[in-house]
Amino acid sequence: MAVDTSVTPVGDAPRSHNELENGQDVLVDVAKAYELPKPYRILGLNIWAYSHPRVQAIMLGSVLFMTVGMYNVVTFIGGAGQQSAWLSDMSNIALYTVFSAFCFVAPAFLNRFGLRITLCVGGIGYSSYVASLWCFNHTGNVPFVIFGGCWCGLSAAFLWCAEGTAITSFASEDKKGLYVSIFWSIFQFGVVIGAAIPVGQNWNAGTNNDSRVSDGTYIGLFILMLIGAVLGIFMYPWQKIVREDGSRVMLDTKTKSFKEELVTSWQVCRRNWWILFFWPMCWAVNYYNIYQSNDFNGVYFTVRGRALNTLLSAIVQIGSAWVLHIFTDLIPFARRKRAFIAVVYVFVTINAVWIGGYFMMRKTVYGLSEADRVDVFDDGYAAACVVYVLYGFTDATYNCYAYWFIGALSNRPDELSVYASMYRLLNALCQICAFALDLQGYSKEFMFGSSWAFVAAGPVFVLPIIKYWLKDTNMQTSLEVYEGAVGSEPQSDRDNKDEKTA
């Protein structure tokens, strides 16, 4: 991918921009090397330029808002809005199997074809899944639902790779938590708006809707997903973006073949073998959603209650992301210490909520008719709703910390794309296992206990990375380009060496 020369470099760089362009790679981790785009002055207010990284983060969140956000609405109301979780389990096993396979090639696809194409390709499959459920309401066509799940899985592998790479690349090191919170808030606002659709559609139905979501819900979600996929095309080219600290979001300047991109992805994994300690946290992220959706929300509440729970959970998740932002960005410590404090906060919050969830799990009964399930006006609804909403709070906390942690490991898109795909690959594999277990009829006690164990173990396993491999900064102190490599040592490494020499 060629390097854009429209952005003006600043500062005392030892080499000119043209000289950098002739190098094999381009060093990006140098603060104040380039100027931010100037804002527009409108009615006395400074408005960020379209190419400003925060504007791009907002646009990225909007793409996820209208694709994955709408998909989550279908998932969180339990059983994909159908009478039984069986259809949801079957289609999701197909979805996450395909998702897992294409996560291996998603980083190479992203680095070869760019952010905009990857986002569009990644978004279009979500609408096919909702269309298949809409069709099933009238035809009972199970194979079409399975096909929709497969197509959605293929698209999701590319979409999540692009999203994870972009949101962690756009931000400067001191604002990575902020950018994750911006993205997550907009993404979850999509769930808020999307959840309002089934609440409105099904509110007056009470207990007489046979526990199935109406056509209008699926049609509304289908249209929003198509808009979200197209929006990805209008993102600003990310090789032109300047971060808020004056460094560049830059890709390798040498155009590589798809095979070469695959080799590069493998080299990243081989070089940073310690990323294995991050795998348990990656694994746990979506496993617990199956218990919460199909074994609690989907069987304990009426469809009206499920829809309202989804809406309230999404609202709480927006606030949860900003609470975590305090720990990741704002407390006055170096990054490694902030990483440790934040992961302790995540661990304590998760276990506190799941202790409360244990008592609600014991009250859950399978096989109830719609009339016997807990509705929004029934006694006991409030307590059960609070538990489900707090599950949402911890979901946002867990995911946002994971994204911030990925961003703290590197600033380079070629590395971040591998970490982001690895994160989602393990998410997908765990969901295949969870859906399969749920399909086989494993007890709610087993699904609850295994979910809690996985989600509690994740923060513990990242502690070795924080202690031994996470740096306080990945920024460089000077611009250097030479054959086969880029840049000088990070400042934190240089300080450590100076201390040992002294």
Side-chain angles (χ1 to χ4, degrees):
M1 182 175 292
V3 178
D4 173 63
T5 58
S6 62
V7 182
T8 305
V10 297
D12 300 325
R15 294 178 184 267
S16 69
H17 185 64
N18 289 333
E19 288 174 324
L20 289 176
E21 201 173 316
N22 292 329
Q24 197 170 33
D25 291 302
V26 176
L27 182 64
V28 297
D29 299 330
V30 178
K32 301 180 181 179
Y34 296 88
E35 290 182 347
L36 274 171
K38 295 181 180 179
Y40 300 107
R41 190 76 175 173
I42 301 176
L43 298 178
L45 300 174
N46 286 329
I47 307 299
W48 290 321
Y50 165 63
S51 58
H52 193 283
R54 291 201 197 187
V55 175
Q56 293 304 300
I58 291 170
M59 289 188 64
L60 181 66
S62 300
V63 173
L64 275 289
F65 166 111
M66 288 183 279
T67 52
V68 185
M70 301 302 105
Y71 169 82
N72 283 344
V73 171
V74 176
T75 301
F76 292 160
I77 58 178
Q82 300 297 321
Q83 289 174 301
S84 169
W86 177 87
L87 181 67
S88 174
D89 286 344
M90 290 296 294
S91 61
N92 279 289
I93 288 172
L95 188 159
Y96 286 104
T97 300
V98 176
F99 186 6
S100 301
F102 280 89
C103 277
F104 288 103
V105 300
F109 186 95
L110 172 63
N111 293 326
R112 181 68 179 85
F113 296 102
L115 179 65
R116 292 182 290 183
I117 291 177
T118 307
L119 284 174
C120 185
V121 171
I124 200 72
Y126 283 88
S127 59
S128 69
Y129 176 66
V130 171
S132 70
L133 292 172
W134 176 22
C135 175
F136 182 84
N137 260 1
H138 297 276
T139 66
N141 190 340
V142 173
F144 185 39
V145 176
I146 303 300
F147 170 78
C150 291
W151 190 359
C152 184
L154 186 153
S155 292
F158 296 123
L159 181 67
W160 280 111
C161 176
E163 174 274 328
T165 306
I167 201 62
T168 51
S169 298
F170 290 168
S172 55
E173 288 194 337
D174 61 327
K175 292 182 171 62
K176 296 215 173 190
L178 171 65
Y179 276 62
V180 170
S181 297
I182 291 173
F183 154 75
W184 191 266
S185 298
I186 298 171
F187 162 51
Q188 282 302 132
F189 192 61
V191 181
V192 172
I193 293 180
I197 297 174
V199 170
Q201 291 280 349
N202 300 293
W203 187 263
N204 292 326
T207 61
N208 299 316
N209 60 358
D210 203 23
S211 202
R212 176 178 289 178
V213 169
S214 63
D215 283 353
T217 298
Y218 289 130
I219 293 171
L221 297 176
F222 175 78
I223 293 172
L224 288 172
M225 286 175 170
L226 285 179
I227 295 172
V230 173
L231 182 62
I233 293 292
F234 295 93
M235 293 286 292
Y236 192 74
W238 64 344
Q239 73 272 16
K240 299 181 180 181
I241 295 176
V242 179
R243 300 187 183 108
E244 291 189 57
D245 64 356
S247 60
R248 285 287 293 267
V249 178
M250 189 79 72
L251 301 181
D252 196 322
T253 61
K254 183 179 69 173
T255 301
K256 295 181 180 179
S257 68
F258 189 73
K259 181 179 179 181
E260 288 174 324
E261 292 289 1
L262 288 173
V263 172
T264 299
S265 298
W266 164 248
Q267 290 172 343
V268 170
C269 295
R270 185 177 180 182
R271 183 170 63 247
N272 302 315
W273 61 269
W274 41 261
I275 198 66
L276 292 170
F277 290 106
F278 186 48
W279 285 13
M281 192 168 197
C282 301
W283 174 271
V285 166
N286 285 336
Y287 183 94
Y288 54 75
N289 282 337
I290 285 73
Y291 164 75
Q292 293 169 4
S293 297
N294 287 353
D295 295 311
F296 179 46
N297 198 36
V299 299
Y300 195 87
F301 303 94
T302 62
V303 71
R304 175 166 59 184
R306 283 144 51 187
L308 182 59
N309 292 346
T310 305
L311 176 63
L312 297 175
S313 175
I315 293 171
V316 168
Q317 288 202 42
I318 294 174
S320 175
W322 291 99
V323 173
L324 183 70
H325 166 55
I326 297 173
F327 293 92
T328 57
D329 284 6
L330 300 183
I331 57 177
F333 300 106
R335 182 164 65 184
R336 291 177 66 233
K337 186 170 288 188
R338 282 185 277 121
F340 176 75
I341 295 173
V343 83
V344 170
Y345 163 73
V346 172
F347 181 81
V348 171
T349 302
I350 285 167
N351 284 281
V353 171
W354 280 80
I355 288 172
Y358 169 76
F359 297 100
M360 198 56 60
M361 180 272 296
R362 295 185 61 183
K363 296 173 63 176
T364 303
V365 177
Y366 290 142
L368 296 178
S369 66
E370 183 74 359
D372 292 330
R373 298 182 184 187
V374 176
D375 196 30
V376 293
F377 300 112
D378 293 343
D379 293 336
Y381 170 77
C385 176
V386 167
V387 169
Y388 186 78
V389 169
L390 288 177
Y391 280 146
F393 183 91
T394 59
D395 179 52
T397 302
Y398 209 81
N399 273 281
C400 290
Y401 181 81
Y403 275 121
W404 175 85
F405 190 76
I406 289 172
L409 297 176
S410 177
N411 295 326
R412 292 181 59 89
D414 58 344
E415 292 187 354
L416 292 171
S417 63
V418 175
Y419 297 150
S421 280
M422 183 184 298
Y423 178 60
R424 285 300 168 183
L425 167 64
L426 291 165
N427 293 173
L429 291 175
C430 82
Q431 285 205 286
I432 293 171
C433 293
F435 278 119
L437 292 170
D438 193 52
L439 186 63
Q440 292 297 317
Y442 275 72
S443 68
K444 67 180 188 293
E445 290 83 5
F446 177 85
M447 297 302 295
F448 175 87
S450 57
S451 297
W452 188 1
F454 287 145
V455 77
V460 176
F461 275 88
V462 301
L463 292 176
I465 300 180
I466 295 173
K467 181 172 177 59
Y468 296 110
W469 292 285
L470 183 67
K471 301 183 181 75
D472 282 329
T473 180
N474 296 312
M475 298 299 289
Q476 311 290 333
T477 57
S478 63
L479 289 170
E480 298 177 12
V481 179
Y482 51 90
E483 185 176 357
V486 182
S488 61
E489 296 175 294
Q491 182 62 48
S492 60
D493 286 358
R494 182 172 297 178
D495 291 343
N496 290 338
K497 288 185 177 181
D498 290 342
E499 291 176 4
K500 291 179 181 179
T501 301

